[in-house]
Structure formats: structure tokens, C-alpha cells
Amino acid sequence: MTALVWFRRDLRLHDHPALRAALARDERVVPVFCLDERLLRGRHSSGARTQFLLECLADLDRALRERGSGLVLREGPPEYELARLADEVGADSLHFTRDVTPFARARGARVREALAAASSEVEPCGHTGLSAVEEVGALHTQAGKPYTIFTPFHRTWEREPRRELLGAPRKLPRLPSGLAKGRLPSLKALGLQQEVQRPARGGERAARERLREFLAKDVRDYGLGRDALGEDSTSRLSPYLHFGCVSPREVEARLPPGAGAEAFRRQLCWRDFHHHVLLHFPRNAHSEFQERYRGKLRWSRSRRNFERWCEGQTGYPLIDAGMRQLRREGWMHNRARLAVGSFLTKDLGIDWRWGERHFMRLLLDGDEANNNGNWQWIASVGTDPQPVFRRIYNPARQMETHDPDGRYVRRWVPELANVPEEYLREPWRMPTTVQREAGCLIGGDYPRPIVDHAQARREALERYRVS
Ligand code: FAD
């Protein structure tokens, strides 16, 4: 008996139900990954994330080889490549981790059809492993409906039984002799470019190291420190969770007792919540969850303002710091993501989809469910709604609360490094003499604000008053 294990965004050996199931029943197991043009170059194309993916694949191949196997790489649509490979190795089953995105589900369905149409009989077997709970889709309200509010989802989520953790296999069956493994291409060969200057490194090994460090230190004070921009003490596990280099179930299982860990667990639940929402409301991928806003909001089409936002040149220090961190690291602190998201949609009145797309281009953790869910949330058009005014953030006040000593802003906006603390939140208020002393002329070294927040806030409230 031979099984294919189709890796997608579950690029690990630890706690991998699909791999375990294949090993339990088959003598031969062929791990395979398909590089799919539609993902590499589609609407969520990203050089930075693809580079991270390539590193994950190299690491997975290394770990598989250490155990006597290896990763088979194919370039092409899986519905074609997998059917061909199944034929070549005489596979009778295909194991994979179920995913929730509309694209993944449609692609999975095409693979099933292709296998059904092939001459050999190959049984497709979907497994859990994407979320902390077994099946995000299975949770439902007492009325049997999907959740659209986080708090009740969280209550149910906490009560859901969890499965046992699975270790990494020590040894794996050898690949069939004569099977061409395929070579991992470079980013350049894929026609993509690395746009991020200082990205984290991909792979299960790096993920486990990051998790170990976080559990050893920052998790204890996570509840207190998670919003402190200058501290940088969140886990930074998001790219690894996105690509499944570590399973959310394992991350959860290894949390120590305590308030910090509980606050962290709640964030893992947000991840499951957004996956639950996208699974049940796939049209969210393109349009507002809230029907009253669908196609009704009049967005600004100012390319100039959008570019200033992308470049971190808005004249609002916190916004510029966040956007520059994104460009530099392919990651941004959650507090900054909220501030820049509010600024784009409320202060600049620009369509949340433009922000969503820019994030998907640069984020190593760019994840359709999380990104879409959070953009809709901050644009006040999604699930878990609140009155619009609650999610219009004043950038100066946000900085006062979450970056009180300006450490985050000074790190990412070096022009402001010597600006005295009293002017750092609103540098345009600096008298000219102070500007000179600080070596930061407003309108020269650092831009004037591109909008007036108070005025923009009034306009936003008006814009959202759609009937
Ligand atoms: P930690 O604070 O250490 O949290 C641990 C994990 O919990 C994260 O790795 C993540 O998997 C999950 N998590 C935390 N906060 C959220 C949240 N609000 N929603 C969903 N999951 C969460 N997260 C992504 O993974 N991919 C995205 O594309 C993404 N886009 C976002 C866009 C906007 C506009 C906003 C406001 C948030 C977005 N987030 C996204 C959520 C959040 O900002 C990141 O998950 C978090 O900053 C990652 O850093 P961390 O791993 O240190 O998080």
C-alpha cells in the first residue's frame, strides 16, 4: 500500500495528523508539495512570503531526509500533478490537512475529481491540523448557526475537546526508487522578488526555536505586554502558524498555566474564529460581511494618499512606523496593524481591500482568513461589529497609550530620533527652532500630516451613515 501525503500549509513533522494517518496504514509514504502558479502569482502573490515558503520547504525536505525519506516537489496544478504522481508510484490514498479558504477548498475538490477520474483508485483522506480545535467549522450557536460574534465563539471554543498531541515520526519509509524528487527553485527562478529587507527565517526548526524562546520568557507577561509597541514581546509565531511550521494545537498544549498564557490562548482563538468565519462566509473574501455596507460605502480613490500610506510618509509617526516595519520585516505589531488599518479606512477613507492587498503582498504571515477578518473588523464592515466611532483610532492617542516613550516610533522613523518627547506624537506642532535643533524640518525631513485627524473623523462618521 502506498500513500501520498500532500503538504500545503502544514509544513512540519510534529503533530501532523495527515502524516500520522498515512504512516499508520501504509507501507510506503510519499510526501509531496506542488508549487502552484495560481498561488504564486495570483491575487495574493508575494515575493516575501514565497521566499519564506521556500525556506519552509527546504527545512521540511531536510527533516524528511534525516528520517530516511524526502520531499517530492512538483511544479503545476495539484489536480494534474497529484493524479500523475499517484499513478507513477501506484498510490491508493492521498492524505492532506483540510483548509478553509475558498481557493483551497475549490482546489481540493478539483483534486478529488481528478483522482476519481484517474485509472487507479486513490482514496482522498482529509485530516485536521489547521486550527487549535479539531474542526473550526463544526462549532455552532445553540440555534445551529455559524458564529459571527467573537465572545460566544470563544466560550464554546474553550469547552471543545482537544485531541492528543502527536510526536514527529522517528523514521520514515524510503521514497520509491527511481522517483524523480524535483528541485526547489529559487525565488528568482519563480520570477518573484524579495521586497522585504529583514525577514524572519522560515521552517519548522525556526518555528520550534521561536516557540521555545517565547514560552521560556515572554508568555508570562503576555497579557500585560502584548499591546506595548516598544517591548516587542509578542510571540512572532504568526508566519509559522500560517504555514503550519508548528501546529496551533501544539502551541496551545505547551502553554504554561497563568494569566499571560490565558491571554495568549485567546489570541489563538481569534485565529480559529476568523477561519470559522471565512469557511462559513466565503464571499467575505471579496465583499463586506455586513450587508448594509456591501457596495454602499463611497471610498476615496486617492492613489497619492494610498502610496503615502504604503511608504510610511503620512506625517503621523505611529502610522509611518508601522508601515515601515512592514516593509522592513514583513511583519507588523498587532497594535500598529490596528492603527494603520483605522487610518487607511477612516482617516483616508480608502477601501479596506486596498489595505488588505498591500498587507498580503508584504506580510510573511499574510493569511486570507486572518487578514480579511481583521481588515473587515477594523473597517467596521465585518463580523463582531461595534459602532463605527469605537474603531476610529486617533494616532496620537494610540501612541500615548501604546508607545508612551516613543521607542517604537524612533526605531522605525529615524528622522524623528532626536525630536523631544513632547512633540513626538504630533511633530507638526514643533516650533521651527526645535525642528532645527532636532534636525527634523517638518515638510522637509519629515512630511506634514496628509490629513487632519479631527476633520477626517467627522467625514468618516458621515461616510458610514449609509441607509
Ligand atoms: P501574538 O500576539 O503572539 O499572537 C499569537 C497568535 O495568535 C498569532 O501568531 C496569530 O496566529 C494569532 N492572532 C493574534 N491576534 C490575532 C488576530 N487579531 N486575528 C487572528 N489571529 C490572531 N494575522 C495573521 O496571522 N495574518 C494576517 O494576514 C493578519 N492580518 C492582519 C491585518 C490587520 C489589519 C490586523 C489588525 C491584524 C492582522 N492579523 C493577521 C492579526 C495579528 O495582527 C497578527 O496575528 C499578530 O500581530 C501576529 O504577531 P504574533 O505572532 O506576535 O502574535
Side-chain angles (χ1 to χ4, degrees):
M1 305 270 274
T2 301
L4 299 185
V5 177
W6 177 25
F7 283 88
R8 300 193 292 177
R9 55 185 190 107
D10 47 359
L11 306 177
R12 63 176 182 271
L13 295 188
H14 290 80
D15 196 41
H16 198 297
L19 176 63
R20 274 295 167 151
L23 287 169
R25 58 176 245 184
D26 291 291
E27 287 137 29
R28 288 202 305 183
V29 169
V30 180
V32 54
F33 186 90
C34 297
L35 286 161
D36 188 338
E37 274 276 304
R38 294 165 300 189
L39 277 179
L40 299 175
R41 292 173 190 283
R43 72 187 186 104
H44 291 155
S45 175
S46 161
R49 205 163 46 257
T50 304
Q51 176 58 36
F52 192 90
L53 165 71
L54 294 175
E55 289 164 10
C56 294
L57 294 174
D59 188 58
L60 182 63
D61 181 44
R62 177 198 55 78
L64 287 164
R65 279 189 285 111
E66 276 173 12
R67 288 162 172 86
S69 177
L71 184 64
V72 174
L73 263 171
R74 292 292 180 262
E75 287 190 45
E79 52 267 40
Y80 175 69
E81 294 298 334
L82 293 175
R84 213 160 66 141
L85 181 63
D87 212 33
E88 194 180 343
V89 300
D92 34 41
S93 61
L94 171 85
H95 297 262
F96 58 92
T97 307
R98 280 191 291 274
D99 200 338
V100 300
T101 68
F103 178 81
R105 290 167 66 201
R107 194 170 67 151
R110 279 196 296 271
V111 167
R112 283 171 200 269
E113 279 163 26
L115 293 180
S119 49
S120 53
E121 275 189 19
V122 184
E123 183 195 354
C125 311
H127 299 270
T128 59
L130 184 79
S131 44
V133 290
E134 278 295 85
E135 296 275 6
V136 282
L139 274 59
H140 53 76
T141 64
Q142 281 179 354
K145 299 231 162 80
Y147 285 97
T148 58
I149 312 274
F150 176 73
T151 306
F153 177 85
H154 183 225
R155 271 198 297 271
T156 305
W157 182 89
E158 286 203 293
R159 288 196 301 265
E160 276 291 293
R162 306 294 204 257
R163 65 170 166 78
E164 287 293 308
L165 274 192
L166 304 168
R170 291 223 173 93
K171 250 183 100 37
L172 290 165
R174 272 215 307 268
L175 291 176
S177 60
L179 177 65
K181 256 185 91 209
R183 272 170 70 95
L184 197 61
S186 66
L187 189 66
K188 195 159 163 229
L190 292 171
L192 295 168
Q193 256 191 332
Q194 175 58 284
E195 292 187 274
V196 161
Q197 292 140 11
R198 224 174 49 196
R201 202 169 169 72
E204 183 175 19
R205 191 156 46 174
R208 300 189 73 76
E209 180 59 19
R210 185 80 283 277
L211 176 61
R212 196 189 56 73
E213 281 172 15
F214 177 68
L215 294 178
K217 191 166 154 268
D218 291 322
V219 70
R220 269 183 292 278
D221 294 328
Y222 177 82
L224 302 171
R226 63 177 290 260
D227 279 330
L229 283 157
E231 304 266 320
D232 199 7
S233 58
T234 65
S235 72
R236 288 194 181 235
L237 281 170
S238 50
Y240 302 110
L241 284 165
H242 170 69
F243 282 109
C245 303
V246 59
S247 85
R249 172 73 197 107
E250 179 174 358
V251 174
E252 185 191 36
R254 286 178 56 187
L255 290 176
E262 267 318 299
F264 184 81
R265 227 163 82 79
R266 193 180 160 84
Q267 295 313 114
L268 292 178
C269 180
W270 270 108
R271 180 178 182 274
D272 281 8
F273 175 69
H274 289 307
H275 282 69
H276 170 87
V277 167
L278 187 61
L279 175 69
H280 288 295
F281 305 98
R283 68 173 297 166
N284 280 16
H286 298 279
S287 59
E288 288 81 3
F289 169 77
Q290 290 183 48
E291 205 177 334
R292 68 190 162 132
Y293 291 132
R294 222 171 274 155
K296 305 252 174 56
L297 287 166
R298 271 179 293 111
W299 299 110
S300 154
R301 307 198 67 77
S302 170
R303 298 266 3 147
R304 185 172 165 275
N305 278 353
F306 180 62
E307 272 155 29
R308 300 280 291 269
W309 178 82
C310 292
E311 298 305 322
Q313 295 287 347
T314 67
Y316 282 92
L318 180 59
I319 307 306
D320 296 342
M323 297 308 293
R324 293 187 202 186
Q325 180 179 29
L326 174 62
R327 174 76 65 176
R328 190 73 182 270
E329 299 194 333
W331 184 87
M332 196 197 298
H333 194 287
N334 181 59
R335 259 296 133 195
R337 294 189 204 204
L338 289 166
V340 304
S342 164
F343 190 82
L344 183 80
T345 54
K346 311 290 175 43
D347 289 54
L348 301 182
I350 290 176
D351 195 329
W352 57 273
R353 279 162 283 239
W354 292 24
E356 183 192 26
R357 207 175 322 127
H358 182 69
F359 268 32
M360 283 309 269
R361 186 176 127 201
L362 295 179
L363 277 176
L364 303 181
D365 65 30
D367 178 294
E368 186 165 28
N370 281 355
N371 197 42
N372 179 273
N374 278 287
W375 270 102
Q376 295 223 23
W377 189 94
I378 195 63
S380 304
V381 299
T383 51
D384 203 50
Q386 286 280 332
V388 173
F389 69 87
R390 291 252 174 90
R391 293 184 190 148
I392 303 183
Y393 297 157
N394 178 326
R397 295 291 84 75
Q398 286 289 308
M399 200 179 146
E400 192 176 344
T401 315
H402 303 298
D403 189 29
D405 58 5
R407 224 179 332 155
Y408 180 72
V409 158
R410 286 185 214 277
R411 186 185 311 149
W412 294 111
V413 190
E415 309 90 286
L416 299 173
N418 297 320
V419 168
E421 202 167 311
E422 59 184 304
Y423 296 113
L424 197 56
R425 286 169 213 143
E426 298 174 321
W428 60 92
R429 295 196 194 283
M430 254 192 307
T432 320
T433 48
V434 184
Q435 292 184 29
R436 276 207 206 93
E437 275 162 28
C440 178
L441 294 182
I442 301 302
D445 300 304
Y446 185 68
R448 284 180 221 292
I450 58 173
V451 281
D452 172 66
H453 174 70
Q455 163 82 11
R457 182 177 194 281
R458 283 191 293 276
E459 288 172 13
L461 291 172
E462 199 46 49
R463 194 176 325 115
Y464 277 84
R465 208 167 286 142
V466 290
S467 52

